[in-house]
Amino acid sequence: EARTRELTLPPINDANYEIGYGIKVSLLPSQSREGSPARGEKLVGVGSRRFMVSEGISIPAKYKKIEADCDEEGHSLVYVAIDNQLSGAIELIPTIRPEARQITNELRKRDIKMVIISGDTLKPTRKLAESLGIDTWFARTLPEDKADRISTLQAGGRTVCFVGDGIND
């Protein structure tokens, strides 16, 4: 998208991804208009509220209200901080791939039990499960806890096929 909009992105000095929480990226300064280097790196953090809190970044009440409204709609809010100060948020509206309903219907016809294990909050996870007709679901599950849930199913004699979304899975 940046190329499409002809945006110049600053070079990345360092990046740390904390699975299930967020990412911190240290951006090198871009050149100033005169061609000399600008001063100082920028530390950009993008992630969940629990990521921001773990980084010591406070969430103002107005953002908590926005997050509650998003949650009520079944959406997610991802926070953005620059140099350890909250700068904004991005609302993520989940979309279900067109073939997902057909696939879940076919699996149900074959008497295959489906479970959603999501890192998302309660309402978005429930909304997704209801829209796909899946009765069993778990919300706010960190990636390592997803593996534990799968191990529990396997230990109970179940054969498990795990399909991830490619972000943390």
Side-chain angles (χ1 to χ4, degrees):
E1 184 61 27
R3 280 190 291 272
T4 302
R5 294 179 184 212
E6 298 179 1
L7 300 174
T8 302
L9 299 177
I12 294 174
N13 183 37
D14 190 27
N16 294 309
Y17 179 61
E18 296 184 36
I19 295 174
Y21 287 88
I23 186 168
K24 288 187 292 188
V25 179
S26 176
L27 300 176
L28 292 172
S30 58
Q31 297 291 326
S32 71
R33 292 181 187 234
E34 297 81 34
S36 61
R39 292 190 176 185
E41 294 182 4
K42 294 282 186 195
L43 181 63
V44 178
V46 179
S48 65
R49 183 203 304 207
R50 73 178 158 211
F51 177 67
M52 294 296 151
V53 169
S54 74
E55 293 294 310
I57 299 168
S58 63
I59 308 294
K62 74 176 188 175
Y63 282 97
K64 291 177 182 177
K65 168 75 168 103
I66 292 168
E67 184 176 14
D69 291 345
C70 287
D71 192 55
E72 201 58 42
E73 292 293 320
H75 304 167
S76 300
L77 198 65
V78 176
Y79 293 96
V80 179
I82 300 174
D83 291 333
N84 294 315
Q85 294 292 316
L86 188 65
S87 298
I90 302 166
E91 182 178 5
L92 302 177
I93 301 171
T95 56
I96 297 173
R97 293 176 58 149
E99 66 273 16
R101 284 186 181 86
Q102 179 183 355
I103 291 168
T104 55
N105 288 339
E106 289 298 319
L107 292 171
R108 204 171 358 279
K109 286 178 188 175
R110 296 175 187 198
D111 202 30
I112 295 175
K113 181 171 175 58
M114 293 167 280
V115 176
I116 293 176
I117 307 172
S118 176
D120 216 336
T121 59
L122 179 78
K123 289 182 182 175
T125 304
R126 181 175 58 219
K127 186 175 181 179
L128 173 65
E130 288 171 353
S131 67
L132 293 174
I134 297 174
D135 297 327
T136 306
W137 48 270
F138 301 95
R140 289 194 170 275
T141 309
L142 291 171
E144 59 269 19
D145 297 330
K146 291 178 183 182
D148 291 342
R149 289 202 183 272
I150 290 168
S151 294
T152 300
L153 290 169
Q154 291 171 326
R158 303 260 177 129
T159 300
V160 177
C161 173
F162 182 85
V163 179
D165 61 13
I167 295 172
N168 290 323
D169 301 319

